[in-house]
Amino acid sequence: MSIAEKLREEGMEKGKLEGRKEVAVKLLTKRFGKELTEELKEKILKTNEKTIDYIMDNLLEITLDELKEILK
């Protein structure tokens, strides 16, 4: 694999992760409304892949308190 191909692949993976973060924010905003503060939205957008995976896997069950705890 060339350097260009590797960089392209890394860029695509980063883009997918960023897209999942944006979807999480959108769905959690629908679920929690104004209770999902701008601060929490920013934390979601800055969090790591493992945390986003957890949030997305538990989107229907996660509580606002649990979300705050995992984003500390």
Side-chain angles (χ1 to χ4, degrees):
M1 179 181 293
S2 72
I3 293 173
E5 289 171 330
K6 186 174 182 179
L7 290 173
R8 187 177 309 117
E9 187 175 305
E10 287 174 8
M12 288 174 58
E13 288 301 315
K14 185 177 180 183
K16 287 178 187 178
L17 177 58
E18 296 305 312
R20 289 182 17 234
K21 290 177 181 182
E22 291 175 12
V23 168
V25 167
K26 190 173 191 174
L27 293 174
L28 289 167
T29 299
K30 280 189 163 276
R31 178 150 183 230
F32 295 118
K34 293 182 188 234
E35 292 180 73
L36 188 72
T37 63
E38 289 301 316
E39 179 183 357
L40 284 173
K41 291 176 186 178
E42 285 299 317
K43 286 182 178 183
I44 293 167
L45 293 173
K46 292 179 181 177
T47 197
N48 60 46
E49 185 173 9
K50 183 179 176 184
T51 303
I52 283 298
D53 287 344
Y54 179 83
I55 292 170
M56 294 300 285
D57 288 345
N58 296 285
L59 200 62
L60 298 177
E61 296 90 20
I62 199 168
T63 65
L64 194 57
D65 288 335
E66 184 180 7
L67 184 62
K68 289 176 183 177
E69 185 65 30
I70 64 173
L71 292 171
K72 279 187 176 179

